[in-house]
Amino acid sequence: PLADIADCEISGNETTAANVNSSCGGGIYLGNGGAELTNVSVTGNRAVQGGGVFGSGPVSLDGCEVTGNTGSEYGGGLRVGLLSHVTVENSVITGNTARIGGGVYVFGGKGADPKNTSFTMESGALYGNISTYGNGTHSTDVYSETATLTLPAIEEGLTKDGEEITGWFWDGGGNYAWSKDYVKGYEAVIDAVNKQCLVAAYDPTPKYTVTYGDGVEGETIFEDQVYVVKSGSATPAFAGE
């Protein structure tokens, strides 16, 4: 049967095993029985894998906060284990840190059927996590391999580096199949070769400002016309005489 964990805070815990396969689930470790988490805050926990939560079996999070956790290797906020199906609703996963998969690390096993392991985020916010691999731009928010990955449209009003977050973006190197385009939502079956490294971010296309002014001091001939234009786009024409 599924464990039922509700209306509580789980914080400041740490697994101490040195072995990467033993130090799992700093805040919560869920075996094959799975669990339903409702209105649970998981914060400030540490492990090698799954600093906040290590999930195996069917796991659901509803109205939860997974913040400020650390996985020294995989999955700062959440590590999705083999044969696990994790669903997230109305929850926030942010401010977590790992070497790979700062927010979420999903791995279905080498050579496994990617449909056997899944991470589905139906609503909520997954952003602002940290990867320490390389120069810090590698699966910042999500790493997925040999699994089915479903992410929602980005909520309005979320920001990163002072810019509004607009979509999911490729965030890795080497043999990664993600195109370097933004999308509002993302769903795919990830096979063993085509790993995914994703970040919730803003359009990095350089922008420039075009200003049309009358150049007259002390008198307004016409109001300034100001346009912010993406690099490579046509310069807007002056609207007026």
Side-chain angles (χ1 to χ4, degrees), residues 37 98 105 177:
L37 279 64
Y105 183 97

Side-chain angles (χ1 to χ4, degrees), residues 5-9 37-41 61-65 90-91:
I5 305 172
D7 304 317
C8 63
E9 178 178 338
L37 279 64
T38 307
N39 300 325
V40 176
S41 174
L61 286 75
D62 189 356
C64 297
E65 293 184 357
N90 307 314
S91 299

Side-chain angles (χ1 to χ4, degrees), residues 53-111:
V53 180
F54 184 98
S56 186
V59 178
S60 67
L61 286 75
D62 189 356
C64 297
E65 293 184 357
V66 181
T67 61
N69 302 285
T70 301
S72 58
E73 286 293 327
Y74 311 123
L78 177 63
R79 165 73 157 88
V80 180
L82 281 63
L83 304 178
S84 181
H85 297 282
V86 175
T87 302
V88 178
E89 297 181 75
N90 307 314
S91 299
V92 176
I93 302 173
T94 190
N96 304 287
T97 301
R99 189 174 74 90
I100 298 176
V104 177
Y105 183 97
V106 188
F107 180 55
K110 295 291 186 183

Side-chain angles (χ1 to χ4, degrees), residues 1-238:
L2 296 179
D4 187 2
I5 305 172
D7 304 317
C8 63
E9 178 178 338
I10 299 172
S11 64
N13 301 287
E14 181 176 1
T15 60
T16 58
N19 186 292
V20 66
N21 293 318
S22 299
S23 178
C24 302
I28 301 174
Y29 178 89
L30 301 171
N32 293 331
E36 295 179 352
L37 279 64
T38 307
N39 300 325
V40 176
S41 174
V42 183
T43 181
N45 303 287
R46 301 179 64 90
V48 176
Q49 299 191 60
V53 180
F54 184 98
S56 186
V59 178
S60 67
L61 286 75
D62 189 356
C64 297
E65 293 184 357
V66 181
T67 61
N69 302 285
T70 301
S72 58
E73 286 293 327
Y74 311 123
L78 177 63
R79 165 73 157 88
V80 180
L82 281 63
L83 304 178
S84 181
H85 297 282
V86 175
T87 302
V88 178
E89 297 181 75
N90 307 314
S91 299
V92 176
I93 302 173
T94 190
N96 304 287
T97 301
R99 189 174 74 90
I100 298 176
V104 177
Y105 183 97
V106 188
F107 180 55
K110 295 291 186 183
D113 185 340
K115 294 181 180 179
N116 289 340
T117 302
S118 67
F119 176 79
T120 300
M121 189 162 188
E122 296 182 353
S123 60
L126 169 54
Y127 75 106
N129 297 285
I130 299 169
S131 165
T132 60
Y133 183 85
N135 61 359
T137 56
H138 191 294
S139 60
T140 305
D141 288 317
V142 181
Y143 176 94
S144 181
E145 179 181 353
T146 335
T148 301
L149 175 67
T150 306
L151 299 173
I154 299 294
E155 289 188 355
E156 294 184 1
L158 299 179
T159 61
K160 181 182 178 71
D161 303 326
E163 296 273 0
E164 183 177 5
I165 296 172
T166 56
W168 299 100
F169 190 62
W170 180 89
D171 183 39
N175 189 21
Y176 297 96
W178 181 247
S179 67
K180 299 182 181 181
D181 295 326
Y182 281 79
V183 292
K184 287 294 185 181
Y186 180 71
E187 180 175 6
V189 176
I190 312 304
D191 64 27
V193 175
N194 295 326
K195 307 174 183 72
Q196 296 293 352
C197 301
L198 301 175
V199 60
Y202 51 86
D203 189 338
T205 304
K207 303 178 180 66
Y208 61 93
T209 301
V210 176
T211 302
Y212 295 108
D214 57 23
V216 178
E217 294 185 6
E219 182 180 359
T220 300
I221 307 300
F222 61 84
E223 296 293 336
D224 288 355
Q225 297 174 23
V226 181
Y227 304 92
V228 177
V229 185
K230 289 184 179 180
S231 178
S233 300
T235 302
F238 171 67

